[in-house]
Amino acid sequence: MEKDIRIAVIGLGYVGLPLFCLISNHFTCKGLDNDSNRISLLKEGIDNRECEKRRNIIFALQRGMLTSLYSDIKDCNIYIVCVQTGIDEYNEPDLTPIKKVCESLSEILKRGDIVIFESTVFPGAIEDICIPILEECSSMKVNIDFSVGYSPERINVGDKSHKLELIPKIISASNNETLSLMNNIYSTILSAPIIQASSIKVAEAAKMYENVQRDVLIALANEFSSFCDVEGININEVTECAASKWNFAKVYPGLVGGHCIGVDTYYLLQRAKEKKHQLNIIQTARNVNEEKSHVVANKIKDIAISLEAHNILLLGFSYKADTPDYRNTKVLDIYNELKGYFTVVDCFDPIVDKKSIKNEFGISIITSEDAYRSNYDLVVKLVDHKAFKKNRISKYQIHRYKRDIMIQQINNQSVRFKEKGASDIDYLKSFYNTHKHFPLFQQVLIETRTDCNNHCKFCPHAFCKKPLGIMSWDCYKQIIDQLSDLNYNGRIALMLSNEPLLEERMEDMIIYARQKSPRFFLDMTTNGILLTVEKLDRFFKLGLDNININDYRGDRDKYPDKWSSFVNPIYEAYYNNPKVSFQKRRTDEVLPNYAGNIPQVFNPDDFGFCNYPFRKLTIGYTGNILLCCDDFLYDTNFGNVMVDNILDCWNNPDIEEIKFSLLEGKRISICSRCNDYQDYNVY
């Protein structure tokens, strides 16, 4: 083995990053990506695409380096190109990324250097496109001044069993010396067999054939699936029966997206077109698979119409199961097609990067169990993530949740101004006229005790003396038991206007609630004074879903980057965890007047439509049902959970009278002295 091997991996995505980590175990290696932000995150061991495990990245960085500058890799003598290739809007090959790499490499290419391509291309691309660019821009000649190799990537994204080091490796090169060196390098870093192709074109074609074959087989499954639908038989059962024969290719119907199968076929078709050659079966297969998303969307429409469904939830956004990769996902096509037909179309995927999707497509992806706390009329599983297994929804099966009493979220508009509350008001009126009752609450606030350890000057505790009250265990159990019997799946806040961590039974309360129902969304808001990292770890282990930490330093403007001493360790441990939210608060901020319990001057004409009584069930420490969370001194009472059914309390005629008055723009009872109001769908 040659001693002076210095390798640079260009493109640190699903192919390049794992390769960089492997090579760094054996050779001097540098990694380059033109995304400087990604490089910065990788240097911290953070890979938001989940291409590689954090520990492998950190270990590789101990021996290798990462950069976004070609000048930093000019001392290398082997360059492995792993940049993504794709198609344009006309489904024609777009080799722009690999062309740009060739141009950039030409500026640092030296005599004796080797350029190895792993990016997927059509047969002839390396020799017809890449090598001419390298030669022209560097003023050097292949096999005289430098050499070229091709080794197609074969990573199966999201596949934990077929790791890179275990996948047989196809290699090819412009000359035998380079081929021998490639064999030595890949044999060193991989445990799998090395297959030497006779030419670069053969290796390119082999990669094409792998993916095109898969495309054709899935198209066949999709075609046969449509026939089974006509016959009224289950394609999955048919497949299982057929697979009992040893030579049957067990392939299921599905959506074909991602970077390989749904892209590479177009590379081959375009190359065949240039050669004036027809690939009829392959073209037909591609058409069938492209049409599949439209077929699925129409099926969803038909079922939704038959069920009178208006609110649709799609499970999964990535292009395949158990990966955050959403490149060329066909769920996007289905989402866009359904969006114009239904009141609400949401998408829930717990593993994708929702910020990237929001930036790229303008779609707000639901990434937490909040999805299951909304009353969707229709839920469709499009991606078979393991996270969805517990719902027992088979692939492409349409499932209607039996939650007719649950509230339907149909409006995301702000209602802080009168003109924007009209849709909420119309919806609530319409719901009552249809069902003869208002929608069920979305939230339950439980006052486990009344005290707080931090009496802020803008809080009702600073103006009202509230006696110490502690909820009995029997009362708490009664609340949880009733909510479980209702099959309630919304938020349960284990606090009201108090500090929840003063509650010594909090762990037992979390345990009991979680045992009664996995559908509860257990939540609390705390000032954090009594919170530790260990305690928070324990809460989450027991089943707490979310915690909100309000840091009342009082100097957030003066020291925007600082946290109170008791919050700082928690922030360092959980700053990027979606289960924990941190908020810096001011001691001089102005909050609502809590139904007049905070002395404030206000203009009743500024009142917006208040949704609190329509979406929150507020329970005081005695078990009394209150109008809302602003009823600090318990001026209202609409029943008690120890003797009354929660639904009866929620639909109490007295509380309905107040709700009707709010719908007409009038405030009665404690509402007449309260200046608070909030959006219908906001916690």
Side-chain angles (χ1 to χ4, degrees), residues 411-425:
N411 181 4
N412 291 320
Q413 288 185 312
S414 172
V415 293
R416 290 197 175 274
F417 301 97
K418 293 178 181 180
E419 65 270 16
K420 293 186 178 181
S423 56
D424 277 349
I425 295 172

Side-chain angles (χ1 to χ4, degrees), residues 372-374 402-403 405-407 439-446 479-493 513-514 516-522 615-619 646-647 650 683:
Y372 299 116
R373 298 186 292 109
S374 301
K402 306 297 183 181
R403 302 190 225 143
I405 62 173
M406 291 294 173
I407 195 165
L440 193 69
F441 41 86
Q442 293 174 289
Q443 307 177 55
V444 180
L445 282 65
I446 304 175
I479 296 169
I480 299 301
D481 290 350
Q482 287 201 47
L483 292 174
S484 177
D485 292 340
L486 285 173
N487 202 26
Y488 175 69
N489 66 340
R491 178 196 187 208
I492 297 179
R514 183 56 67 218
K516 293 298 293 187
S517 176
R519 297 162 62 85
F520 295 157
F521 184 83
L522 301 178
R615 61 189 180 87
K616 286 184 178 181
L617 177 70
T618 304
I619 307 175
I646 282 180
L647 275 183
W650 180 250
Y683 286 156

Side-chain angles (χ1 to χ4, degrees), residues 120-378:
T120 300
V121 292
F122 54 78
I126 300 300
E127 294 174 346
D128 297 347
I129 297 174
C130 296
I131 289 177
I133 295 176
L134 290 170
E135 289 183 326
E136 181 179 355
C137 297
S138 69
S139 299
M140 292 192 291
K141 291 295 181 181
V142 69
N143 293 332
I144 297 176
D145 302 300
F146 69 95
S147 58
V148 170
Y150 181 70
S151 179
E153 63 85 10
R154 307 177 97 182
I155 287 178
N156 188 21
V157 178
D159 190 340
K160 305 299 184 184
S161 59
H162 295 91
K163 298 180 179 180
L164 173 60
E165 57 267 36
L166 302 177
I167 302 173
K169 192 66 170 167
I170 301 172
I171 63 172
S172 62
S174 59
N175 57 59
N176 289 332
E177 184 181 355
T178 301
L179 186 66
S180 177
L181 180 60
M182 289 176 63
N183 186 81
N184 290 337
I185 292 173
Y186 285 112
S187 296
T188 301
I189 67 172
L190 304 177
S191 304
I194 309 298
I195 298 95
Q196 296 187 11
S198 62
S199 69
I200 289 176
K201 269 192 176 183
V202 169
E204 292 169 323
K207 172 63 177 179
M208 284 286 112
Y209 198 16
E210 290 175 22
N211 291 340
V212 168
Q213 184 185 83
R214 184 73 176 169
D215 201 22
V216 172
L217 289 175
I218 296 174
L220 176 61
N222 283 333
E223 277 277 271
F224 206 83
S225 175
S226 65
F227 168 74
C228 289
D229 285 343
V230 173
E231 291 290 343
I233 54 180
N234 189 304
I235 180 61
N236 292 340
E237 184 181 359
V238 172
T239 304
E240 290 295 329
C241 290
S244 61
K245 188 177 182 182
W246 67 91
N247 61 350
F248 178 82
K250 191 177 180 180
V251 178
Y252 291 94
L255 301 170
V256 183
H259 179 62
C260 292
I261 301 176
V263 173
D264 294 354
T265 304
Y266 289 117
Y267 275 58
L268 187 65
L269 290 169
Q270 179 63 28
R271 186 65 168 180
K273 183 180 178 181
E274 293 172 359
K275 298 291 185 178
K276 296 182 170 47
H277 183 75
Q278 296 291 323
L279 297 174
N280 297 325
I281 293 177
I282 295 172
Q283 182 66 73
T284 301
R286 189 86 293 274
N287 295 341
V288 168
N289 288 337
E290 279 293 326
E291 181 68 13
K292 184 63 176 179
S293 56
H294 179 65
V295 172
V296 173
N298 280 338
K299 187 174 182 180
I300 295 171
K301 291 176 190 176
D302 292 341
I303 296 176
I305 292 171
S306 68
L307 296 175
E308 297 183 355
H310 303 285
N311 304 334
I312 313 295
L313 177 65
L314 305 178
L315 298 182
F317 190 83
S318 61
Y319 86 87
K320 64 182 293 186
D322 303 319
T323 173
D325 191 355
Y326 59 86
R327 292 176 295 175
N328 194 32
T329 175
K330 296 305 175 183
V331 177
L332 177 63
D333 298 337
I334 296 172
Y335 174 90
N336 288 333
E337 191 163 343
L338 297 178
K339 194 67 178 174
Y341 282 81
F342 301 102
T343 307
V344 169
V345 179
D346 289 335
C347 191
F348 171 45
D349 196 314
I351 63 177
V352 297
D353 186 350
K354 65 178 183 180
K355 291 183 178 179
S356 298
I357 294 171
K358 179 68 174 179
N359 293 334
E360 191 168 346
F361 306 116
I363 299 174
S364 297
I365 299 293
I366 301 170
T367 57
S368 72
E369 291 293 335
D370 288 355
Y372 299 116
R373 298 186 292 109
S374 301
N375 183 42
Y376 294 95
D377 305 319
L378 198 64

Side-chain angles (χ1 to χ4, degrees), residues 452-463 527 552 586-587:
C452 184
N453 57 352
N454 192 30
H455 286 47
C456 304
K457 63 182 181 180
F458 52 80
C459 174
H461 281 284
F463 303 95
N527 55 40
Y552 297 96
R586 301 167 52 132
T587 57

